[in-house]
Amino acid sequence: MPSQPTLPMFSAGRHLLSVSQFDRDGLELLFDMADVVAPIAERRSVCTVLDGAVLGSLFFEPSTRTRLSFESAFLRLGGEVTTTTGFTFSSMAKGESIQDTSRVVSGYSDVLVVRHPDEGSVAEFAAASTVPVLNAGDGAGEHPSQALLDSYTLTRELDARGRSLDGATIAVVGDLKYGRTVHSLIKLLSVNDGITFRLFSPPSLGLPDSVAEHAHQHGNTIVECRSVLEAVAEADVVYATRVQRERMTEELHSQVRGNLLNRELLEQAGVAQDIIIMHPLPRDSRHDAYDLSSDVDGLPGLAIFKQTDNGLKVRMAMFLIALGCSADSVRATLKQRPWRADIDWELG
Ligand code: NCD
């Protein structure tokens, strides 16, 4: 992974390109703001704090939850969203440069969210933009918003069990080479103390040295394991990730088949009833896909849909900070909603 220039801490009017823009105080601010907007994300209240603001949402790589959660977050804060997906429907298909596209769309928007298949490309976008750019994933590089919502979920899930993220043991399994969510998460957790990462990946899909080095330099421990069983056996949390088929050759992909993690394995390791189970999603549910099996879905520690729900709150908080809104300005525009949005609708 190319070394990144030192970026300023994330705050009002700044781009969000990398998890390196957060220290412990910055994270606390973001997480507190995510708690403030929780009633809006959970559809108990509505709010108009971003009335009149426009988001430019540019996704040049496939996405379901990242795009929809960024866009829903902006809409639920009272803003408006404009969007373009894929290269085919954008002027990049006519040969327009990142710089020109960025300058143009930043003239239409108050903040941009950008996903692009090339590492470093979102930073190029940001350099030409006149408004804050939030990185929604740049190739195999970083995915800061995912790492932030993962860290929020980890903190809250461990808190609920009377434990702390400091000193926790986290098994990280799957495609650790191309899985950008794992790169960003391991780097972000450098702000915590005494974390042990127990890694397992197929031999060709190991964690880049630069990420492992980053963890070491910040006092966290990396343990390479020979099997998933060994990785999860002593862990508080398991974070599994999909094989990034689109970033590798067919030949390499054909070597990674079978089962990564399922209920039987967690039972064998003696952790099925306790371990917190995380995954950035999507899970590859095709036969032989080498991913997290859906047979873990009934286990008490399953947190994968808590991650997606928390993503909305954390992304709302990112917009509020980038656009200089205080928690009080959110509270001042909170309203009761006249429509019903019960989580427990009796559908049928
Ligand atoms: C991830 C991504 O796009 O990097 N998905 C996501 O944003 N939640 C993980 C993946 O595609 O495997």
Side-chain angles (χ1 to χ4, degrees), residues 93-163:
K94 300 179 189 166
E96 187 171 54
S97 68
I98 285 185
Q99 286 72 18
D100 282 2
T101 304
S102 173
R103 173 60 191 87
V104 170
V105 293
S106 57
Y108 305 150
S109 321
D110 301 291
V111 59
L112 301 177
V113 170
V114 182
R115 171 173 282 193
H116 194 282
D118 299 333
E119 203 169 327
S121 54
V122 180
E124 279 180 49
F125 226 96
S129 170
T130 56
V131 298
V133 171
L134 310 186
N135 180 1
D138 62 324
E142 279 220 35
H143 194 345
S145 67
Q146 180 71 39
L148 291 161
L149 75 89
D150 287 340
S151 166
Y152 177 87
T153 305
L154 271 167
T155 308
R156 296 293 180 262
E157 288 302 299
L158 287 164
D159 270 0
R161 291 162 173 79
R163 302 197 322 248

Side-chain angles (χ1 to χ4, degrees), residues 65-66 115 143 146 180-181 241-242 244 246 280-282:
R65 80 219 76 238
T66 305
R115 171 173 282 193
H143 194 345
Q146 180 71 39
R180 58 190 172 194
T181 64
T241 190
R242 175 180 74 85
Q244 307 280 303
E246 65 277 30
L281 301 182

